[in-house]
Amino acid sequence: MARHTPFHERTSVLNTTQLWSHWAGYLSAQRYQLSEKFEYFAVRNSAGMFDTSPLYKYRIHGRDAETFLGGLLTRDIRKCRPGHAQYTIWCDDDGYLIEDGVVIRQSETDFLLSAAEPNLAYFQDRIGRLDVTIDDISDEVAALALQGPKSREILTKLSPEIESLRYFQTIETKIGGAPVTVSRTGFTGDLGYEIWVENANALALWDAVADASDGYGVLPFGETALLMTRIEAGLVLIDVDFSSSRYAWTDADRTTPLELGLGWMLRSIDDNERPFIGRQAIRRELAAGSRWHLTGLLIDWKDWFNLYDRNGLVPPKDHLPGAYESILYDDAAEPVGYATSLMYSPMVQRHIAIARVLPELSTPGHQVNLEVTINHKWQQVKATTTQMPFYSPPHKTA
Amino acid sequence: MANDRTYDAIIVGGGHNGLVNGSYLAKAGLKTLVIERRHLVGGAAITEELYPGFSFTTFSYALSLLRPDIIHELELVKYGFKPLLMESTFAPMEDGNYLLLGQDHQANIAEIRRHSKHDADAYDQYSHDVNRVCRAIKPLLDNIPPDITSRDPEELVRMASLAQHMRDLEPRVLHNAVRLLTGSAADFLDDYFESEILKATLSSSGIIGTKVGPRSQGSGLVLLYHYMGEHDGDQSSWAFHKGGNGGFTQVLARAFQGFGGEISLESPVARVITSNGKATGVALEDGTEFSANIVVSALDPRRTFLELVDPRELPSDLVENINRFRFQGTSAKVNFALDGLPKFPALGDRADQFRGFTNIGPSLDYLERAFDDAKYGWYSQRPYIDACFQSTVDPDMAPPGKHVMSGFIQYAPYDLKGSDWDTEREKFGDTVQAVLESHFPGFGDLVLHREIVTPLDIERVVGLSEGNIFGGEFLAPQMFFFRPAPGWNQYRTPIEGYYQCGSGTHPGGCVMGAPGKLAASQILKDAKP
Ligand SMILES: Cc1cc2nc3c(=O)[nH]c(=O)nc-3n(C[C@H](O)[C@H](O)[C@H](O)COP(=O)(O)OP(=O)(O)OC[C@H]3O[C@@H](n4cnc5c(N)ncnc54)[C@H](O)[C@@H]3O)c2cc1C
């Protein structure tokens, strides 16, 4: 039976649609309102509350915790000081991506790592003789995200220290009487926070945030609105934009950090002091070049219009992310890449997609043709490569 | 004359059409000046803090017909374009019941079934049929209509392609188009539906801004016009721009300035200066003169032809046509600052029904009776109200927990029999508030501030003649070939270099930008050596 998150007593009442999906064995609201788009606008224009409790959460601690994570994670954990968080990834020996996640460093020797998929066995099997303990606290800790331009103002009412929290900083504080960890992180590409709390205090936290939000037009939002915001934010998603190398059957189904636009995580790859899993393979890739490069795509609005119009249709502007892959071609009809996340973006006012293209097309401004199926025929619409994120308001990092 | 008062193009009037027109001209490289009478641009599309902490969309309040091309061609996203979603239409009924339609198709069908099982099925057919008509008609909004008075080969080509377009339509679509363009909203809806509340709610978009009732011929045209609105491609769903329609016109002003255009505020233009039948500039009321070989009036046809220039310079048949061009404004607004959201008894503490349009016009009879009052020269005793609690969509419109309500009211005829608007203002406000009170008991206790906007105010403040919100009635004899007059429906005027781009030109009113854009294309074409 699907389990309930610690916020379920509240979310089950708020979810007027009673539409739920399963996420890590938990019921997770697809949308709370009849209009997921209205929830999306709450995030973009006010703030939204998202129950992100189903994330897997690992407490990784012990004298050697930094050394352990330094060898496991691709991004240099030594650069993450206590009170900070890092978006990070871990790879296999061949330099293929296993997963991504966020790690919060609570002290020199204490880390909280969250990820969408289970990784406990994989992590524990790599501890070896190091002094490290990993506790799977997934079922003990709840997580609530408050995302959107009004989130700081609202949370500051509950804990004044939050006002000065910088992008990817974290603090230990109290909200609604409950001890919490607040990180200025999120998956929406907006100003936003994630609040980590013991299950027993979850409802008190929810109620405190909901009360402080009163009058601001804040709404709970579900997975659909979250997925819209993450595409605009240019954030890749496991099982949509990439698959874990642990469960891929072929290398075609695997992705390297460089291919996924995460090269910026590799700044200290030449530092011999920190060997990590996949390092040698990634260095070889850096020298030899990658198969693909990640890019954003802006679909030509006029061409999109004309294509559908010529086919006798009203051009759809569907904000729901498409759950399919579309092939990209050059003008000679040769395949040059593939788009993994396609949607109509209300902020950009055109269709956008996250895609991978051949390295020579990776810089912004290249034109490609995206395949779409209209009237049971494969047809093509013009698109231009562009830098991501598609939407990045100044308040995100300010 | 000082060189810094010389421009390539001057636009009289900083409404949204003037700004769109100016942006296209500036983008094409012309040194362009927009001259606005008031202290802010936007015209009928402005947002003002009329009560501390509360932003009012004094006049125009929703966005949907804006041409998508304009968003992209003028790079409006870069300048802050942000259309938020108005989620639903809520229609309270006199017996305490209601109709609530939103974004979820299945839920809408279930909701209509509460009123009529027949209509729940017919609703999809209706939407499909009207959407198909919209697809057929929309290209007309984005192109300059033919000049039926001309035998110029270019015009004959335009006529031929229009005929071809009609010929290509499926007979059923063409017939539905004609039914809508010539008939009444009520007749069209009667052919699909039996439910009073559904018919009344759908028909109300057929009377907006126009002196017709839902049973008058001509209301079909107005219904169709509004149905062509969209939010992100979603036909018949409307947007609320961040910060209201004033937020939108500020985006336009930034785009215009981004293309190098200049704006002169608090500069009422007295007249267009002409020499030997050509426009050479404009003179302000204070005597300041600006020169340009292109002068564009973004005002309504009466001002364009009868006030800014000397009508004696114009052909008399044009003057005659403009003289009889109907304005007869019939709309007003009553806007409120509220201490909280009202309650609708049948929905208890629920408030999500207010996140869109609240449509008070519960039956065709109700709307038609409201119109009857106007026919005989008085404002409706039980008026139609299109209310929007805009702070539910954009919380920045009011302090936390407080709300601002835009109330669009019909009918309020410009000419009152035996009285005038300055005398009737407060009584009119009370009449409107009484209707709100009857649907939302306790409404009056929430009122912190009330702003009454009569048709006379619209005329005085915005400059729209007789307060007609569309710069001239949406009646078939005043549309397309004939907007604002036969032979002068292509943005030119008999005075060389003098153009028109306001809502009184094709396609017409609403925050749509099409007149401004199409006029710019004509001007730029004429300017080519
Ligand atoms: C009450 C009301 C509600 C409406 N609601 C909606 C709605 O919700 N949605 C929608 O799409 N449409 C709505 N409309 C219609 C829409 O707002 C108008 O059709 C549109 O804004 C008109 O734009 P415009 O640029 O053609 O003219 P205007 O907005 O009228 O602009 C003309 C400008 O010229 C200026 N001016 C006048 N005379 C002079 C002079 N002598 N010298 C210099 N400047 C001068 C005026 O001050 C004004 O700024 C509404 C209109 C009204 C009045």
Side-chain angles (χ1 to χ4, degrees), chain A residues 19 31 33-35 37-38 41 44-46 149-150 153 214-219 301-302 308-318 344-350 391 395, chain B residues 68-73 77 81-87 103-104 107 131 135 138 230-235 242 352 355 391-396 398-403 517:
Chain A
L19 293 171
R31 51 180 175 152
Q33 338 277 320
L34 286 172
S35 166
K37 201 172 175 186
F38 199 79
F41 276 113
R44 286 287 180 244
N45 193 42
S46 170
K150 293 267 188 268
E153 186 179 334
D214 195 34
Y216 286 87
V218 173
L219 293 177
W301 61 273
K302 194 86 194 177
Y308 279 90
D309 194 54
R310 269 202 309 278
N311 281 278
L313 300 168
V314 175
K317 293 185 182 169
D318 195 345
Y344 178 82
S345 159
M347 287 299 123
V348 186
Q349 289 284 302
R350 54 184 92 191
Y391 176 71
H395 54 244
Chain B
D69 301 27
I70 294 175
I71 300 169
H72 299 293
E73 287 163 0
V77 171
F81 182 68
K82 217 176 189 188
L84 311 173
L85 176 69
M86 310 210 30
E87 193 191 13
Q103 298 293 306
D104 186 295
N131 275 326
R135 182 171 179 273
K138 264 192 183 178
E230 60 176 85
H231 176 263
D232 286 349
D234 203 350
Q235 210 126 242
K242 174 77 189 162
D352 59 305
R355 301 197 301 219
S391 38
T392 59
V393 179
D394 180 2
D396 288 328
K402 315 270 183 231
H403 288 280
K517 177 188 162 157

